[in-house]
Amino acid sequence: WSSDVCSSDLPSELIFTSGGTESDHIPLLSMLARQNRDRARILISAIEHPALREQAALLSRIGFHVDTVAPDKEGFIRPEAVTAALTGDTVFVAVMAVNNETGCIQPIYQIADAVSAATAGKRRPHFHVDCVQAAGKIPLDLRHPGIDSAAFSAPKTQDGQIDAAFIVAIQNRVYDIHDVDAILRENDLPPFLT
């Protein structure tokens, strides 16, 4: 896995999962711990991978409101469309970095900035980015303020030579994601797995 993915030290917030779907589910399902589900809103792009879209639909059945942001005619999710859909009850926002069907590279950094600006002085919703299609293919700056979590899947990187998939809880820190086998060889097991 190349340093084009991101750079710095291995985070303690790295969580190994069974695949990209689980990596997308973890932050979304963390919304289940919220009180007042009937007022909580989840905002996802209309072009999200089914891993997020279908899970959000299930959450709507138990009281969450799910709003979607449509892409423009060129297939992009515009930051202003995301901020226009925000409400005071929005607790979660998800936009994928690269669409798995169209290949459109979404403006995730501008969306993170726009959400942060629109919620300045208020509670900012959790911003999750599905990087499954992007990891190893385009540079990702996951230290960007406003990105709270990102999902990756090993089979989509380096011809599937990495055995695990994972999610990175960002919290505005810089992470270096290496080949999982190398991490395990160098460090035995990460402390959170022991």
Side-chain angles (χ1 to χ4, degrees), residues 6-78:
C6 47
S7 61
S8 189
D9 297 323
L10 178 67
S12 61
E13 293 87 0
L14 183 68
I15 301 170
F16 291 86
T17 69
S18 64
T21 296
E22 185 180 9
S23 296
D24 276 333
H25 285 185
I26 290 170
L28 185 56
L29 292 178
S30 72
M31 297 297 107
L32 290 172
R34 296 199 56 84
Q35 302 293 327
N36 304 323
R37 289 182 193 169
D38 58 327
R39 287 192 0 235
R41 301 189 87 85
I42 294 169
L43 177 61
I44 64 171
S45 78
I47 58 171
E48 287 305 298
H49 189 275
L52 269 165
R53 262 196 344 262
E54 292 171 7
Q55 197 66 40
L58 288 174
L59 289 176
S60 72
R61 293 183 190 164
I62 61 169
F64 287 89
H65 297 277
V66 178
D67 301 311
T68 57
V69 177
D72 66 14
K73 64 182 180 179
E74 297 170 341
F76 296 100
I77 301 298
R78 297 292 175 195

Side-chain angles (χ1 to χ4, degrees), residues 3 21 50-51 55 79-80 88 91 115 123 127 133:
S3 61
T21 296
Q55 197 66 40
E80 56 274 12
V91 296
V115 169
R123 181 195 42 76
F127 183 44
Q133 296 296 326

